[in-house]
Amino acid sequence: MADPKLHHYVPQFYLRRFTDSAERLWVWDRTNDRVFRTQPKAVAAESNFYTLPQLVDHGHSPMEMEKQFADLEGQAAAITGQWLDWVRCGHPGDSLPMPEENREAISLFLALQSLRTADARAILVAFSALRGYQAESEEDARALHAAVLWDDELVSAYADRMSRCTWLFALNLTSIPFVTSDNPLAFRTSDSRAWVKPGNLGRDAYVVYPLAPDVIMYCYPDEGVWRDSNVSRFDCQISPVLMTEGMVQSENSAQVFMASRFIASSRKSFSLEREFLKTMGVDPNAPSIAE
């Protein structure tokens, strides 16, 4: 069987959770202001995004990174699938079962999801240029990205930080679904007034990650302002706060801000997301935006 050439930096299992009744995604191309309907396999992917020909010289497959992601995604799909069932059947304040091995797997998955996207690669290339290294080609950018993704110390430290967060889940029973994007892990400042990119570099920023149109996950770090708060007592619980339409719209604005280009939804309309984009000014990729 031939190796797949189209590599997803947002997993297909995840995108399938945002499809409509016909198992298609509605996608808004933020750059060209165009809405189209497509299959999950056609979004958040690039040809040979993780292919590393130089690995052949060391006796490895050039597809090694893509294969490792596929293994981790299988675990994440099963674990988060259970979470969705529990949250949908549970009640505010209920605790979700969380074996340590599941927490470790999802912590690694979330850390890598933040680091593996096209947007993360672009930011890395820009930072490297500021430090004197200019990626002259796509191959250079790919190799630079791979060096970060395969930095065990860096990735392990980031995954450990995710594991030590307080994980809180909220159910959306409003008529407005959560949307997602080609860069779905969002970061919000501790005062909840701004989205930040890359938020994984800040002490106080917390993670907002839609799991499905009706379920969202929050990860609050155990440092900064959160260390002295009471949020840790809600770890692995269903939030006692009921989502309102305004709250859902606010979380959806994160996906507009974080996206490299594409926002995906189970519905056709992106009118609210378009309105938020107008508030972001002339540069939709600015490092932060106030609500």
Side-chain angles (χ1 to χ4, degrees):
M1 183 176 179
D3 290 326
K5 292 184 178 180
L6 192 63
H7 299 168
H8 286 78
Y9 44 83
V10 179
Q12 290 188 69
F13 86 81
Y14 172 77
L15 293 171
R16 281 194 291 269
R17 291 174 177 166
F18 291 85
T19 56
D20 61 15
S21 58
E23 299 185 351
R24 294 292 187 271
L25 280 173
W26 287 100
V27 179
W28 173 39
D29 179 343
R30 194 188 70 176
T31 302
N32 298 315
D33 194 18
R34 180 174 69 96
V35 175
F36 59 95
R37 200 180 187 204
T38 189
Q39 299 180 57
K41 66 180 182 180
V43 181
E46 292 184 19
S47 295
N48 296 307
F49 190 71
Y50 298 118
T51 301
L52 299 167
Q54 61 267 39
L55 290 180
V56 175
D57 297 334
H58 300 282
H60 300 290
S61 166
M63 298 287 294
E64 184 63 29
M65 180 170 290
E66 172 68 3
K67 291 176 180 177
Q68 289 183 12
F69 278 132
D71 291 341
L72 180 60
E73 288 167 12
Q75 297 178 56
I79 295 169
T80 56
Q82 289 180 328
W83 289 358
L84 292 176
D85 291 340
W86 287 327
V87 173
R88 288 164 178 162
C89 295
H91 300 89
D94 284 356
S95 293
L96 276 65
M98 191 66 64
E100 188 60 32
E101 59 268 26
N102 286 9
R103 194 174 188 108
E104 290 178 0
I106 298 301
S107 295
L108 178 59
F109 173 79
L110 293 175
L112 287 171
Q113 179 59 79
S114 174
L115 296 171
R116 66 185 285 192
T117 64
D119 196 75
R121 179 175 292 184
I123 291 173
L124 177 62
V125 168
F127 280 175
S128 296
L130 292 175
R131 297 182 64 86
Y133 175 78
Q134 187 69 47
E136 301 290 346
S137 65
E138 181 58 36
E139 289 73 19
D140 289 344
R142 191 181 298 136
L144 181 63
H145 197 190
V148 170
L149 292 171
W150 266 340
D151 186 328
D152 287 341
E153 184 176 353
L154 184 151
V155 172
S156 294
Y158 189 14
D160 179 66
R161 184 183 184 191
M162 293 298 300
S163 180
R164 289 185 282 105
C165 285
T166 294
W167 294 0
L168 185 65
F169 303 85
L171 183 63
N172 172 21
L173 297 177
T174 75
S175 61
I176 301 176
F178 291 124
V179 302
T180 191
S181 71
D182 54 10
N183 193 34
L185 219 67
F187 299 87
R188 202 167 200 171
T189 55
S190 58
D191 60 7
S192 297
R193 292 183 58 83
W195 300 109
V196 286
K197 186 194 309 189
N200 49 344
L201 299 180
R203 286 185 72 218
D204 293 343
Y206 64 95
V207 173
V208 180
Y209 181 52
L211 294 173
D214 58 341
V215 179
I216 199 164
M217 177 183 186
Y218 300 95
C219 302
Y220 298 94
D222 68 340
E223 55 193 39
V225 299
W226 304 108
R227 184 181 295 277
D228 297 324
S229 72
N230 292 321
V231 71
S232 61
R233 65 191 178 96
F234 296 108
D235 188 40
C236 296
Q237 289 188 17
I238 301 174
S239 174
V241 178
L242 296 178
M243 300 295 295
T244 65
E245 289 190 354
M247 293 167 68
V248 175
Q249 291 175 31
S250 180
E251 306 304 12
N252 284 349
S253 71
Q255 299 303 315
V256 180
F257 174 70
M258 294 299 297
S260 297
R261 182 173 177 179
F262 299 115
I263 293 88
S265 177
S266 58
R267 58 172 184 167
K268 183 177 181 179
S269 173
F270 291 91
S271 57
L272 296 172
E273 288 75 21
R274 282 190 171 102
E275 287 301 311
F276 175 74
L277 181 61
K278 295 176 183 178
T279 72
M280 290 171 58
V282 295
D283 181 10
N285 293 312
S288 66
I289 185 81
E291 288 186 351

